[in-house]
Amino acid sequence: MGTHQHGSVELPGGPTDDEGREVDEEALGALVSAALQGQECVGEHLDEVAADLPGLVRLVTFARLTTLRVYHGELPDYMTDGDDGVGAYAPEFKRLVLALTVGEPLFELCEQMTPAERRRAAEDALEALAGHLRFVEDVDDSVATLAEVCCRVGAVMVGWSSQAAPMAEKELTEAWQRYQFGQREAGLEGTGAAAVALLLGAVLHHQARMDKVSTETIGGLVFTRALPVLKAPERAEEILRVFVAPPETEAIIAPIKRLARRDRAFVTDLCSHARHLLTLHVEACPYGLREAGHECTVGHRMDAISGGSQAPVSTPAPGAPTEGRRVVLPRIGYREDRPTEGAPEGYPDDHLWHINVDRILLTRWDAEIARWNENIADDSSISGTPPYDNETGLEQFACPACKNQESFLVEGRWGDPLTLHCSCGVTIMSPIDGAPDDLGHRLLQRLILCEADPAYAARRLMPPLAELQEGERSRRSFRSYLGPEADTVALAEAVDLEQDDLAQALAAVLRPRLPERHGGNALSLFLLEVIYALSAPVVRDSDDGRRLAQAVHAFLADLKQESDRWAPARQLVPDRLQQWRDEGGPQGWQDAWERTVEVAGRYFEQYQVRDGRLSDGCAALTLALYLLAREREIGVEQISRDEVLTLIEPENADATADTAAETADRWGARLQALGHDLDAGDDPVARMWRHLRPEVHLDSYSDKRQPALLVGLAAVVGPRSFHNIRF
């Protein structure tokens, strides 16, 4: 074709499409230029573009994009409604525009069309593109479209839920990974949170159009009206299918739409998470704390959507009675024990309490730390003791609005939900329809009991102390018990029980980090509460305070005594072996120890003695090396592992105790044949045989017993041993 005088309009995209197919840019540019100038050669260029499938796809794509710009992110119904027989556009063009919207492969669809159908589609695409290009210059791209605002709302809601419902977020992540790895051909990217945000954006956009809500009035959109759609996955899938998503979602929108069409379970999961998220938000909305039939709106989260960092705080509607600003009491992860006493005596049932409190201590499980610990557990590159952090901690309550942690005014009757006034003017409230044992009700009851009698702060800690004591007694009754836990040992040994002031002795060890979060195990958190209870003179000097201090002192003294009793079990295996080696003995005995210590140092460098199985096994190995080397008159380095195994009779745990005892006695008889007096107190070899002769349990779960000689040796060199050391 000859060169025309009207020139060419260059469309973005380059010489190839996303799949590497060549695009006839010259024909496409000439067509658009001719159409804009009204040249007669439009028909000739149109035939060229209709025959070039990559060029046709690009023409339809840009026709759709210019329409979206002109219509502020919306597609007119007449461009996608295939049932509109009287519309201005041909069905072929509408089919291609709808395919782009729902994420279908456009090139394959064009291949299925006849040349005449492609010609009609190209003609209508050119008309839409040329008609809208004249208005694109006047479109303000900085103004957010309704679809963009709705997707932004969805993203904010998903971000909020990561704090409000950490377990729900974990379930979403696991579900997303199942689809992500099971549907690789879908091209899924990002996280499940992005998918839920996109679905929410689509459903909220649909609701906004139904309610005739614009970007200017989006704050009035009611969240709960989207719940019926999310309860019907087939409706949600249809809305998502035709949703014109914002350009920034291009990386995930098409794969998600394809997978949603293919797998109804995927849509069902997304709807379930989105529905749970909206329900949580409505329950935690400060506007509905003390209102029946409350309808939660987007406006209640506008601060977060606009980039604000403070918690949502409600403001009375114009003309409504002034009640002050309200914010919901944070409750996810927080725990408050049930009061140990009923309502204070001497007060009427409807007595309204007004209590000034300096600080409020709360126990909280931290979802972020829990996720960190999970990541550490899944990280195979970490060796040694993983750097886990304590997921539960004690911290001072902070106002969700201003983060103040001191000086609150509490009000309410016994059995009421909590009402807490902060100096910033915000009132923190728990929902009026909350359960009688929820955080707000229990916290108010604790504060009332402490106001009526400050010594309650000490009395309330006696039941948790009894639980700790009972738990310790229960652990000591187990056969697998090997002394207190390592962190308990460290705490018990560090506390100076000779000091008169128990609170100061505990504080010197725990070094409280309050008002910031202080993590720890159950014992350390309990002792932290003891510190703050006894730090108040009115509590410390009361009978209940003295009783608490005495009981805690006795408990810690018992733990310290138990720790001392089990101290040998915490010794490292190589250190225990070196002690035995240092007891002396003949040269052959020392040679056997040298070989054992060298091997054990490689395998058991960081192992503790604990139940003695490993240390006894190494001692039995030494005895076996010595016995075999002396009998054969060779060096211990010439004894093989297989030769040592021949000394283990019987070779399995099903043998009777009598047979195992006879095996140990045969070892003794062979030692006697070498000149050892098994009763001699000054013979290290005989002493070791006597140490290994008594019977021990095969494991923590069986009642079967065998000499420690055989149990230990099987543990370190037995064929079914976890360690199965080589030498």
Side-chain angles (χ1 to χ4, degrees):
M1 176 176 290
T3 303
H4 295 277
Q5 299 298 319
H6 53 73
S8 177
V9 174
E10 182 179 357
L11 295 181
T16 61
D17 64 9
D18 293 338
E19 301 297 327
R21 293 180 285 256
E22 292 187 3
V23 178
D24 191 343
E25 289 188 290
E26 182 179 351
L28 190 58
L31 171 63
V32 176
S33 177
L36 290 176
Q37 298 181 31
Q39 299 290 330
E40 295 180 355
C41 58
V42 168
E44 300 175 44
H45 292 303
L46 200 57
D47 291 336
E48 281 188 284
V49 172
D52 177 44
L53 297 191
L56 175 59
V57 169
R58 184 168 295 179
L59 178 63
V60 173
T61 300
F62 277 96
R64 178 178 174 274
L65 287 176
T66 54
T67 303
L68 288 173
R69 288 189 64 188
V70 171
Y71 286 89
H72 300 289
E74 305 287 345
L75 277 179
D77 292 338
Y78 61 78
M79 286 190 71
T80 58
D81 189 356
D83 296 330
D84 184 7
V86 297
Y89 293 120
E92 294 81 6
F93 175 61
K94 294 180 181 180
R95 194 185 320 152
L96 294 179
V97 173
L98 184 60
L100 273 172
T101 303
V102 301
E104 293 179 356
L106 207 59
F107 184 87
E108 287 77 0
L109 191 57
C110 289
E111 281 186 317
Q112 299 169 11
M113 289 182 171
T114 65
E117 289 175 332
R118 289 197 289 267
R119 178 65 163 70
R120 287 193 292 271
E123 185 176 7
D124 283 353
L126 178 64
E127 179 183 342
L129 177 62
H132 292 140
L133 277 177
R134 298 183 176 91
F135 300 99
V136 166
E137 295 285 337
D138 299 326
V139 174
D140 185 0
D141 289 331
S142 65
V143 177
T145 66
L146 183 60
E148 289 173 331
V149 171
C150 289
C151 284
R152 199 182 306 160
V153 171
V156 167
M157 296 303 299
V158 172
W160 170 83
S161 71
S162 66
Q163 297 296 324
M167 296 309 296
E169 184 187 30
K170 179 180 178 182
E171 292 174 0
L172 171 60
T173 300
E174 292 173 350
W176 176 259
Q177 289 175 344
R178 182 171 68 251
Y179 291 110
Q180 185 181 33
F181 296 123
Q183 302 283 351
R184 289 186 181 275
E185 70 278 8
L188 293 173
E189 297 180 5
T191 66
V196 174
L198 188 63
L199 175 68
L200 267 178
V203 173
L204 292 175
H205 178 264
H206 170 77
Q207 191 62 46
R209 297 188 67 183
M210 294 287 292
D211 293 347
K212 301 188 184 309
V213 174
S214 65
T215 54
E216 291 78 14
T217 60
I218 190 68
L221 182 63
V222 178
F223 278 125
T224 48
R225 293 182 189 170
L227 287 174
V229 173
L230 295 172
K231 292 178 181 178
E234 64 281 356
R235 287 186 60 197
E237 191 276 326
E238 176 61 26
I239 291 171
L240 179 64
R241 189 176 71 89
V242 299
F243 176 55
V244 181
E248 59 266 22
T249 64
E250 288 180 356
I252 62 171
I253 182 63
I256 287 176
K257 287 185 176 184
R258 286 198 297 268
L259 184 55
R261 289 198 306 273
R262 185 185 311 128
D263 192 341
R264 178 57 58 82
F266 175 67
V267 184
T268 301
D269 276 348
L270 290 185
C271 287
S272 174
H273 290 291
R275 188 169 64 248
H276 181 59
L277 186 156
L278 286 186
T279 302
L280 276 176
H281 169 65
V282 172
E283 291 176 353
C285 180
Y287 288 79
L289 288 173
R290 306 292 164 85
E291 299 174 4
H294 168 70
E295 288 190 328
C296 187
T297 68
V298 171
H300 300 170
R301 291 286 171 189
M302 286 305 291
D303 285 343
I305 296 167
S306 304
S309 59
Q310 290 191 339
V313 179
S314 68
T315 304
T322 301
E323 300 176 0
R325 298 184 302 158
R326 290 174 290 172
V327 62
V328 68
L329 174 71
R331 65 185 188 280
I332 303 298
Y334 288 97
R335 187 188 76 235
E336 175 68 25
D337 293 335
R338 187 186 302 276
T340 59
E341 301 176 7
E345 297 181 357
Y347 296 90
D349 294 340
D350 61 347
H351 179 73
L352 181 61
W353 294 84
H354 292 85
I355 307 168
N356 289 298
V357 292
D358 292 332
R359 61 184 175 217
I360 301 174
L361 297 187
L362 289 175
T363 303
R364 183 172 71 88
W365 173 77
D366 195 306
E368 287 295 329
I369 295 179
R371 280 192 287 267
W372 168 258
N373 288 342
E374 286 184 1
N375 292 336
I376 292 176
D378 294 337
D379 190 345
S380 60
S381 67
I382 298 177
S383 60
T385 303
Y388 293 121
D389 198 359
N390 289 298
E391 298 178 8
T392 304
L394 198 67
E395 60 189 46
Q396 277 186 213
F397 173 78
C399 171
C402 71
K403 309 308 177 187
N404 167 55
Q405 295 177 301
E406 298 178 346
S407 301
F408 297 101
L409 173 63
V410 178
E411 66 174 342
R413 299 174 178 83
W414 184 269
D416 280 356
L418 179 70
T419 300
L420 192 68
H421 300 284
C422 178
S423 57
C424 72
V426 166
T427 299
I428 301 100
M429 310 171 79
S430 58
I432 195 169
D433 57 350
D437 60 350
D438 69 2
L439 176 67
H441 286 78
R442 287 186 175 182
L443 179 55
L444 177 59
Q445 290 171 354
R446 190 233 295 181
L447 296 174
I448 289 175
L449 288 169
C450 288
E451 176 71 6
D453 181 7
Y456 174 74
R459 290 198 303 276
R460 65 181 287 267
L461 296 178
M462 294 301 289
L465 175 60
E467 290 183 14
L468 290 172
Q469 292 171 320
E470 178 57 34
E472 186 63 26
R473 281 194 294 269
S474 176
R475 281 190 292 273
R476 294 178 189 180
S477 66
F478 296 148
R479 185 187 300 161
S480 58
Y481 177 72
L482 298 173
E485 298 292 336
D487 48 2
T488 301
V489 168
L491 184 58
E493 293 184 346
V495 176
D496 181 9
L497 295 180
E498 300 299 322
Q499 189 171 339
D500 293 335
D501 193 323
L502 178 63
Q504 290 184 6
L506 294 175
V509 174
L510 292 175
R511 300 173 184 257
R513 291 190 292 272
L514 298 174
E516 302 306 321
R517 181 181 186 277
H518 186 119
N521 61 7
L523 177 60
S524 61
L525 295 183
F526 168 76
L527 295 178
L528 200 64
E529 292 200 74
V530 171
I531 292 173
Y532 278 84
L534 298 182
S535 63
V538 67
V539 178
R540 182 184 63 242
D541 297 336
S542 67
D543 292 340
D544 294 301
R546 285 188 287 270
R547 190 177 300 113
L548 173 66
Q550 292 171 357
V552 172
H553 187 282
F555 179 52
L556 292 177
D558 176 67
L559 286 177
K560 183 173 178 58
Q561 182 179 2
E562 187 71 4
S563 173
D564 293 341
R565 187 167 74 89
W566 284 92
R570 298 194 296 274
Q571 186 179 25
L572 293 178
V573 169
D575 294 341
R576 170 65 63 85
L577 301 184
Q578 188 60 46
Q579 283 183 347
W580 281 332
R581 180 184 181 183
D582 292 341
E583 292 179 3
Q587 186 59 46
W589 182 243
Q590 287 296 307
D591 292 342
W593 269 121
E594 182 177 359
R595 189 176 185 192
T596 299
V597 169
E598 190 273 329
V599 172
R602 295 199 308 266
Y603 284 89
F604 306 130
E605 180 181 8
Q606 299 299 324
Y607 282 76
Q608 293 181 343
V609 171
R610 296 184 66 76
D611 62 357
R613 195 175 304 259
L614 294 181
S615 57
D616 286 350
C618 291
L621 174 61
T622 303
L623 195 60
L625 292 173
Y626 170 76
L627 179 61
L628 292 171
R630 281 285 308 277
E631 287 179 338
R632 296 173 56 187
E633 296 183 348
I634 59 176
V636 294
E637 69 278 358
Q638 296 178 263
I639 306 299
S640 69
R641 177 175 173 274
D642 291 337
E643 289 177 294
V644 171
L645 289 175
T646 61
L647 295 176
I648 304 180
E649 295 177 9
E651 296 182 351
N652 58 69
D654 295 330
T656 64
D658 290 340
T659 305
E662 292 172 359
T663 301
D665 289 339
R666 281 197 293 271
W667 281 47
R670 293 167 73 170
L671 289 173
Q672 285 179 317
L674 294 175
H676 291 280
D677 179 1
L678 299 184
D679 295 324
D682 57 351
D683 184 351
V685 179
R687 284 202 304 269
M688 184 55 65
W689 182 85
R690 291 198 301 272
H691 170 75
L692 297 174
R693 179 59 183 81
E695 294 181 344
V696 296
H697 287 282
L698 288 177
D699 51 51
S700 301
Y701 312 102
S702 172
D703 288 331
K704 294 181 179 179
R705 298 170 66 90
Q706 284 187 6
L709 176 78
L710 301 182
V711 174
L713 195 57
V716 296
V717 298
R720 291 185 294 273
S721 167
F722 170 77
H723 304 284
N724 201 2
I725 65 176
R726 298 286 191 268
F727 61 91

